[in-house]
Amino acid sequence: MTAAERSNITRYFEVNNARNQTRDEVVSSFVPPPAFRRLLSPKNHVILGSRGSGKTALTKMVSHSHLSMFTSKIAQEVIETKRFIGLYVPSRLSWLGSQIDRLSSQKESLEQFVWKLNLATAFALLDAVESCLRVYITDPSKRVSREADLCHEISSQWNLSSGTILSLADIRALLTKLDYEKKGALTAFRLGLADATSTYAIGLMFHNELFDPLRRAISAVEEALDLNASTTWLVCLDEIEFLEEDHHRLLNSHMRADSGNMYLKCTTLPYRHYTLETTTEVPIVEKHDFEYVYLDRERTDHIHLDLIPVFFSQIYDRRMRASGWSKTERKTLNYLLGSSDLLDEKAYNWSEDSIEMRLLQSFANTHTIARAKRLLARDHTKRHFKDQIGRKIAPALILRHAVGAMGGREESGIYSGAAMVSRCADANPRMFIHLLNRMLFETISGISYSNADQTLKPVPKHVQNRILLEYSRSELEKLRSEENGSLLYNMISSLGTYMHGLLHDRPLGTDNISSFTWEFGTDQTLDKAIRSAVGIGCVFPSINPKNPDRLPDFKGTFHIGFKFAPTFQILPRKGKSIPLESILNTDDKEERQLGLFLRG
Amino acid sequence: MLFRGLKNGGSSDTYDIGIVATGFESRCTFALKELGRRRFDELYVIGFEERRVEESRIKADAFFSLLDPTEMLICSSSDASFAAKILGERLSAHPHPRIFVDYSSMPRAWYGAILNYLRSTQLCSNAILDLSYTPGLHEGEKTPVEVKGITTIPGFEGVSSGSARTATVFSLGFDKWLPYAALERVQPNEIFCVVAEPGGVPEYTGRALTINKHLFEELGIVPFAIDIRDVEQYFTFLTELIALKLHQTCDVALVGMGPKPHTLGMCLAAIRFQEAAVVQVERRATSVEDIKPIGERITTQVMFESS
């Protein structure tokens, strides 16, 4: 393999964030989750997902520029029939999040927000138009001519300069100039050097009602491109968690109103759709005015947990293929990472003098041991024993034994295997790709790469363990810097420490306690911490199968992210739950033990 | 007025207007102790609304009171309206003002507002602004800080170019995890990192490199090293980077987490290039550290002229 080829592999895995990827990379590496089909519909959606869950990739793929390059059947059908045209609007700092907004009056702040969002959707529309022209007008000279006519019409709708406008690039340049003039004028106004009227007059059209400039331009586009009356426009607003509650009210108002042929798809973190209120007396109603799509549901659901490695195998395969590896060369994810001693189904040996049975005798509680004896005595095939005790307790026994055998060294390989890496990534594509990048980097730098036959070799278990442990610890440390970081860090640490104690310091039963229940309204501080934790993906709620897109509002069961399993030496499994209060009121001894894990 | 350029080093002349900040950092009085009251025709002292009962703050307030300043104002750290108040009133009396600002203890919004005022005003035909910074000694281990928010500094928001790409330049200091918060918010396609070398104290660079080692490894990049005292060089580095590599292909986010002279360089580069935004990661510190002065002051002279 040449250096260029090696670098190509890591490049495809280094970029683990859809916002950093080029359009080609997003499209070539996209593995559509079930939510993808749902978004291609004439409905408003609020897409909830923790960081790295794939919200940005998903909404980018809905945009026409990306969808037109995707080879799936549904994508091709949508593009050919012009049923939907998607626009992707990122949340750029240049139009959001100036400190100045805090000093403005509410009215002023909202006015500026509307102006900026109208401008941002204008840019997004130009991208969609560019894509539509490329796809629907194949003759180059006709395309140029149509673009010039359309640009003239759009610039007229937006009251832009009356100079010569021949192309979309010209309009973009004008919009950029407008943005610059507006910001300069606003700065001068706030310093008392300009008056409000002249400041307001810049880009006056964009002070119209939210999405009005967009709708006007859409009318021109529909005519120019002979779009059907049934064409629906999907406006994807990414990361609305960075907006204020007032802004959400405004967007909700649009979701409630009859939008004609335009619908919103807004992404945000869980619990960061701040309100259901609108600018009128009437709030929006879920399932009527909009629907939630909770991306993490597919990954926290008990049934789907086992399917995550399959999903990740697809991601791995697609990225390796995109970086030029043939099928035989790139191997499979399972080949690269191997099986997991803790998570993969295996045939344990429960004969009398087997290791498993000795571990059971050493670590299980008396009740479990007695029960085991009864079941074994009754059934020489051991089937009941294996079902009721064996397979439930075996991973805990193995882990406890492995940790005990380490004696302070960190060179265990217990946290390894494709299933383990998938699980520790918390089913999060971005995290998974980040971990895989680290694993591949070790592989390609020589540990597991054979120059002789130019193939990948499996990543050694102790290397996987080390990478997962480093990742786990850094994710815990990073919590300190989050908003409410001390609270989050302490909460996760307490939970992890408690669960470590259950697994390593007490006799084991078949019930693995690794979740907690919480009733919102009990303690405001903890309410806030749990919601933040769910938002950033370090705690995950159990989902109600009857309403899987709905996050717990009043009472819920949650588990800490599996990413923390290596730090606290616990199993990355959902198990039984106990009230959070019981865990947090535990005695100090367990808290002092936290230092051991974090120091290693 | 237009921003014409900058150079390292100030002047030994007197100043028409001096603007300094009083706060809990002991270094906030260093410049005036060195220069003396007589160098300033008018002296304005801006005090933080927050943390007024810290012992070091009380001492600083007392020091400045004894200098008989023209005015002492109290502002919150996010309120820079004093800039318009002071300069709006005084520039008409000084058509070619020489202005001194000690920004050692100032938040970015404050000295940013002064820069913005000078570039937006037509009240005078030229102005020379000497910006002074006193390096400080950070004694304790940096306690973890929480992110309060990630925003752009008023007047330095950058503009949308419609580009799908964003580049970020980090000036790095001792906050290990805060750059990740900025990365999460900005999500750049290209990343550049700068560390001060030499820094304000001899061990600065080694410490900054060690603390940020994790970041460099994860991003696979090698940081640039620029002298903390050479704001001119830092400005040139940024403007060349933007002009030659990023201009018209990327929106640019300049994230200042390192020493203030580097952040000043970022503000000046953002004046030059409209697509560059100066980003601040606002922190909620869990403890307060008195920063004592160490080493020589760093002065940067910035020139403004009418167009």
Side-chain angles (χ1 to χ4, degrees), chain A residues 257-358:
Chain A
D258 176 12
S259 57
N261 64 344
M262 198 175 89
Y263 294 89
L264 297 184
K265 314 280 177 185
C266 303
T267 76
T268 185
L269 296 179
Y271 294 116
R272 302 283 182 97
H273 184 208
Y274 298 129
T275 181
L276 294 179
E277 289 176 12
T278 65
T279 54
T280 69
E281 302 275 311
V282 186
I284 46 170
V285 177
E286 192 194 339
K287 294 199 196 301
H288 184 255
D289 300 313
F290 78 103
E291 283 180 4
Y292 282 119
V293 175
Y294 180 41
L295 288 188
D296 295 302
R297 71 176 252 203
E298 286 144 19
R299 297 156 191 156
T300 58
D301 180 285
H302 182 70
I303 295 163
H304 288 105
L305 269 180
D306 296 329
L307 297 178
I308 296 307
V310 174
F311 174 64
F312 282 164
S313 290
Q314 289 176 328
I315 292 179
Y316 167 83
D317 197 64
R318 203 163 276 220
R319 288 217 174 193
M320 290 295 267
R321 195 168 3 130
S323 54
W325 286 66
S326 70
K327 198 166 183 177
T328 44
E329 285 171 339
R330 65 181 178 257
K331 305 289 184 186
T332 63
L333 188 65
N334 281 334
Y335 171 84
L336 194 70
L337 301 177
S339 65
S340 166
D341 292 335
L342 294 180
L343 296 177
D344 285 319
E345 282 285 329
K346 54 193 275 191
Y348 297 107
N349 179 0
W350 293 107
S351 61
E352 207 174 305
D353 55 355
S354 66
I355 293 172
E356 290 89 334
M357 196 54 84
R358 276 187 265 141

Side-chain angles (χ1 to χ4, degrees), chain B residues 89-105:
Chain B
E89 285 171 12
R90 303 318 303 149
L91 286 186
S92 41
H94 301 285
H96 311 289
R98 293 192 52 82
I99 304 168
F100 175 89
V101 171
D102 180 9
Y103 68 106
S104 311
S105 299

Side-chain angles (χ1 to χ4, degrees), chain B:
Chain B
M1 292 190 284
L2 291 179
F3 160 54
R4 285 296 179 206
L6 72 155
K7 63 176 189 178
N8 295 328
S11 159
S12 55
D13 291 346
T14 55
Y15 296 96
D16 300 306
I17 300 167
I19 304 175
V20 301
T22 177
F24 60 80
E25 292 185 353
S26 299
R27 64 174 165 176
C28 70
T29 56
F30 185 81
L32 259 291
K33 281 179 181 165
E34 205 172 71
L35 294 169
R37 175 66 174 92
R38 286 187 190 163
R39 292 278 295 273
F40 303 93
D41 185 17
E42 297 171 35
L43 180 66
Y44 296 87
V45 180
I46 320 300
F48 288 86
E49 196 174 65
E50 305 90 352
R51 302 210 185 273
R52 293 165 77 171
V53 297
E54 304 284 343
E55 191 186 326
S56 49
R57 169 68 186 270
I58 293 169
K59 280 185 184 163
D61 285 353
F63 168 79
F64 285 117
S65 295
L66 287 173
L67 296 181
D68 188 27
T70 310
E71 197 172 353
M72 281 184 84
L73 300 161
I74 299 293
C75 295
S76 85
S77 53
S78 56
D79 177 10
S81 55
F82 70 85
K85 183 179 185 308
I86 295 169
L87 296 174
E89 285 171 12
R90 303 318 303 149
L91 286 186
S92 41
H94 301 285
H96 311 289
R98 293 192 52 82
I99 304 168
F100 175 89
V101 171
D102 180 9
Y103 68 106
S104 311
S105 299
M106 279 191 186
R108 271 152 253 208
W110 288 9
Y111 61 88
I114 295 169
L115 288 169
N116 276 325
Y117 194 91
L118 290 173
R119 71 166 162 150
S120 304
T121 190
Q122 304 298 328
L123 287 176
C124 48
S125 53
N126 62 56
I128 291 179
L129 173 65
D130 281 359
L131 290 135
S132 167
Y133 173 79
T134 303
L137 185 63
H138 295 259
E139 284 175 342
E141 193 58 42
K142 267 281 195 182
T143 50
V145 288
E146 291 180 13
V147 172
K148 216 166 90 174
I150 296 176
T151 55
T152 50
I153 299 172
F156 298 95
E157 291 92 352
V159 292
S160 312
S161 64
S163 169
R165 297 174 64 76
T166 307
T168 296
V169 182
F170 279 105
S171 157
L172 293 170
F174 300 151
D175 291 304
K176 184 175 181 184
W177 300 114
L178 291 192
Y180 289 93
L183 281 173
E184 183 65 41
R185 179 67 185 93
V186 178
Q187 299 187 3
N189 301 86
E190 295 200 56
I191 303 166
F192 304 90
C193 294
V194 181
V195 169
E197 184 189 24
V201 294
E203 63 272 18
Y204 179 95
T205 308
R207 190 174 166 200
L209 288 172
T210 303
I211 286 171
N212 291 291
K213 182 169 170 265
H214 193 267
L215 181 74
F216 303 141
E217 280 173 3
E218 206 168 294
L219 298 178
I221 56 178
V222 176
F224 293 93
I226 298 179
D227 190 346
I228 189 179
R229 311 196 66 85
D230 200 340
V231 179
E232 199 179 339
Q233 191 201 1
Y234 193 79
F235 171 80
T236 305
F237 161 76
L238 286 175
T239 50
E240 284 180 357
L241 179 66
I242 296 171
L244 297 174
K245 194 169 163 58
L246 307 174
H247 187 50
Q248 293 184 339
T249 60
C250 283
D251 289 345
V252 179
L254 305 174
V255 187
M257 295 176 156
K260 281 201 174 98
H262 283 188
T263 306
L264 173 64
M266 287 179 164
C267 291
L268 295 173
I271 294 177
R272 190 53 63 84
F273 289 96
Q274 63 186 34
E275 67 264 48
V278 183
V279 176
Q280 178 169 355
V281 179
E282 293 177 280
R283 307 142 196 227
R284 185 179 289 116
T286 50
S287 67
V288 165
E289 189 185 359
D290 178 12
I291 311 295
K292 295 183 173 48
I294 189 163
E296 284 181 41
R297 282 187 308 116
I298 300 165
T299 307
T300 310
Q301 190 167 90
V302 180
M303 288 79 78
F304 291 90
E305 277 176 21
S306 299
S307 46

Side-chain angles (χ1 to χ4, degrees), chain A residues 14 17 19-22 51-52 56 60 91-100 102-103 119 123 127 172-173 175-177 179-181 183-184 187-188 190-193 238-239 242 430 434 437-438 470 473-475 477-487, chain B residues 76-80 83-84 109 113 116-117 119-123 144-166 177-178 180-181 183-189 214 218-219 251 253 271 274 277 279-280 282 284 286:
Chain A
E14 257 166 40
N17 193 320
R19 283 193 66 172
N20 301 1
Q21 289 179 298
T22 64
R51 277 193 204 141
T56 296
K60 275 191 171 181
S91 72
R92 290 282 170 83
L93 266 173
S94 58
W95 65 271
L96 261 187
S98 171
Q99 290 173 5
I100 206 107
R102 290 194 211 127
L103 301 174
L119 189 75
F123 274 112
D127 289 341
R172 285 193 185 102
L175 292 178
T176 300
K177 187 163 170 266
D179 195 17
Y180 181 62
E181 282 171 5
K183 283 183 174 134
T187 301
R190 290 191 174 105
L191 292 169
L193 295 168
D238 203 9
E239 298 179 309
F242 294 118
R430 195 201 297 180
H434 168 76
N437 181 45
R438 299 266 318 263
E470 281 169 3
R473 285 182 180 156
S474 73
E475 288 296 300
E477 273 304 304
K478 271 187 205 173
L479 287 180
R480 292 186 196 262
S481 298
E482 294 283 346
E483 213 169 323
N484 305 306
S486 301
L487 188 57
Chain B
S76 85
S77 53
S78 56
D79 177 10
N116 276 325
Y117 194 91
R119 71 166 162 150
S120 304
T121 190
Q122 304 298 328
L123 287 176
V145 288
E146 291 180 13
V147 172
K148 216 166 90 174
I150 296 176
T151 55
T152 50
I153 299 172
F156 298 95
E157 291 92 352
V159 292
S160 312
S161 64
S163 169
R165 297 174 64 76
T166 307
W177 300 114
L178 291 192
Y180 289 93
L183 281 173
E184 183 65 41
R185 179 67 185 93
V186 178
Q187 299 187 3
N189 301 86
H214 193 267
E218 206 168 294
L219 298 178
D251 289 345
I271 294 177
Q274 63 186 34
V279 176
Q280 178 169 355
E282 293 177 280
R284 185 179 289 116
T286 50

Side-chain angles (χ1 to χ4, degrees), chain A residues 6-199:
Chain A
R6 285 189 202 191
S7 132
N8 203 25
I9 295 168
T10 49
R11 185 177 66 77
Y12 262 89
F13 283 92
E14 257 166 40
V15 185
N16 55 13
N17 193 320
R19 283 193 66 172
N20 301 1
Q21 289 179 298
T22 64
R23 183 184 59 187
D24 289 353
E25 284 165 351
V26 171
V27 174
S28 64
S29 60
F30 183 63
V31 176
F36 181 56
R37 276 183 178 264
R38 292 177 65 188
L39 296 189
L40 293 170
S41 60
K43 287 181 187 175
N44 294 310
H45 284 109
V46 175
I47 302 143
L48 306 171
S50 56
R51 277 193 204 141
S53 56
K55 302 186 292 296
T56 296
L58 198 55
T59 45
K60 275 191 171 181
M61 285 306 298
V62 169
S63 71
H64 194 278
S65 57
H66 287 63
L67 197 66
S68 59
M69 296 178 63
F70 195 43
T71 52
S72 83
K73 257 191 194 167
I74 182 170
Q76 293 306 304
E77 185 264 327
V78 163
I79 295 297
E80 277 162 29
T81 59
K82 302 175 189 172
R83 203 152 50 97
F84 299 107
I85 296 181
L87 277 57
Y88 173 74
V89 185
S91 72
R92 290 282 170 83
L93 266 173
S94 58
W95 65 271
L96 261 187
S98 171
Q99 290 173 5
I100 206 107
D101 293 331
R102 290 194 211 127
L103 301 174
S104 311
S105 66
Q106 189 186 22
K107 179 172 175 277
E108 209 178 62
S109 175
L110 212 52
E111 264 170 16
Q112 289 312 316
F113 167 70
V114 168
W115 194 92
K116 286 184 247 185
L117 184 49
N118 276 336
L119 189 75
T121 53
F123 274 112
L125 178 69
L126 298 181
D127 289 341
V129 167
E130 187 169 42
S131 175
C132 287
L133 286 168
R134 176 177 49 81
V135 170
Y136 301 130
I137 304 176
T138 48
D139 182 279
S141 57
K142 275 190 186 157
R143 193 187 315 139
V144 168
S145 162
R146 195 73 63 91
E147 181 178 341
D149 292 339
L150 184 51
C151 288
H152 179 78
E153 187 54 38
I154 290 175
S155 66
S156 165
Q157 292 288 347
W158 291 344
N159 287 346
L160 297 178
S161 159
S162 56
T164 311
I165 295 171
L166 291 175
S167 68
L168 295 167
D170 292 335
I171 300 189
R172 285 193 185 102
L174 283 173
L175 292 178
T176 300
K177 187 163 170 266
L178 198 65
D179 195 17
Y180 181 62
E181 282 171 5
K182 189 69 160 181
K183 283 183 174 134
L186 277 170
T187 301
F189 168 66
R190 290 191 174 105
L191 292 169
L193 295 168
D195 63 276
T197 310
S198 57
T199 304

